[in-house]
Structures are given as structure tokens and as C-alpha cells.
Amino acid sequence: MDLIVASNNKQKIHELQVAFPNEVICSYTNFREPISINETGNTYQENALIKAREVATILRKPVIGDDGGLELFAFPNKLGIHTSRFFQKELTDRQMNEQLLTLLANQADRRFKLHACLVLYNLEDKPVIVEKALSGFVSESICEGGGYGFDSILIPTGYTQTMSLLSDEQRDELSPRNQAFKELLRRR
Ligand SMILES: O=c1[nH]c(=O)c2ncn([C@@H]3O[C@H](COP(=O)(O)OP(=O)(O)OP(=O)(O)O)[C@@H](O)[C@H]3O)c2[nH]1
């Protein structure tokens, strides 16, 4: 059965599909035009649940909701669950990363946590909720390579290079979304 994700973010869906080639993973926008969902929750879980419930109710099918964000220890309230709203719409990944590096210029504390929460909303059963995070520190400059989003500035704990410079396999393994998805498949 297709796994429908309540996300309009093509990169998220692509990352999942590449990491889980035995599953058919698609955006709900394959079935209907995109809707605007207000992410009014106070946590990643609440937002993932809001997205999943809203789309599952429309499609009358199980749906996976996904919410994530980047937490900067130096600015605990700036991004986090507000990450997508922190940046102006239509910025490229490079522009977003440049803004983050400017924000962190002269900051001694460059630690980050990249969060991903997935919720499988089944209509009848209790939702399955999985949350994972990747920790590390933000690099001093942009390192172009593979991946997407913040990968070119995030150095995971235990590594010396940004996610973008690691192999596809290493990146797939470290991705908090992929880790959450793996557990969700086990528990579905
Ligand atoms: O490098 C990254 N790797 C990731 O794994 C990741 N997950 C989230 N993000 C960032 O956080 C924002 C809010 O995410 P978000 O969950 O609200 O999604 P979104 O608004 O892009 O789409 P949707 O799923 O709501 O349709 C997104 O726009 C991205 O900037 C990520 N960046």
C-alpha cells in the first residue's frame, strides 16, 4: 500500500523514497491539490499530528504527518518549531544557510539539534508517533555537496565533515527523518 505523507516538501519525500526503495512513498498532493495547513502546535508532535489528521480526514486513508526543525543552542527560541516560518519563502538552501552562518557569526556555542517527528494517523487506531534528533555543531562555512537543506552546514557529533560531504549511505543513516520512518514502519 502506498504510504501517503502529509507534506508538500518534495525534498523530504525524495529523501524518504531513496532511503526506503521497497516502499512506495508519495505526497498527498498526488491525490489532491495542496492545502494550506496551519501549524499551530507547540511541539513537533502536535504539528505532525495536525498535518496527518487534516489530510487523513480529507482522503479517508491512513496518512503520515511530518514536522521537523533546526534548534540552535545559541538561539533556543528563534528556529525550532518555527524553522520554516523563520526564513522568507522561496529562499534557496544556500541563502538559508548563509543567513544561519551570519546569525552564528561570533557565537561560541554552535551546537544544533535537527528534529524530525513522524506520526502515522490511522483514522480508527491510536496514532503511532516517533521522534528522532541529530546533534552536532554548525560549520564555519558552507560546504557544497550532496543532500539538501541544512546538510551543507551541519557537522554531526562524532564526525569532522558536514552532512553534505558524507556518503549517501552515511547521510541516509544519520537522517533523523529516516530513523523515525524506519521505526514507524516497524510499529505500523
Ligand atoms: O536540512 C534539513 N533536513 C531535514 O531533515 C529537515 N527537516 C526539516 N527541515 C527544515 O525545517 C523546515 C520546517 O520543516 P517542516 O517540517 O515544517 O516542513 P515544510 O514546511 O518544509 O513542509 P511540510 O512538510 O510542512 O509541507 C523545513 O522547511 C526545512 O527548512 C529540514 N532541513
Side-chain angles (χ1 to χ4, degrees), residues 56-73:
T57 307
I58 293 170
L59 296 183
R60 307 303 308 161
K61 286 178 182 173
V63 167
I64 295 169
D66 173 315
D67 196 55
L70 181 71
E71 184 191 330
L72 296 177
F73 283 52

Side-chain angles (χ1 to χ4, degrees), residues 7-9 12 39 51 66-68 83-84 148-150 177:
S7 173
N8 197 17
N9 183 328
K12 279 184 182 178
E39 300 180 21
K51 295 182 202 181
D66 173 315
D67 196 55
T83 301
S84 57
Y148 76 99
F150 307 122
R177 177 165 304 101

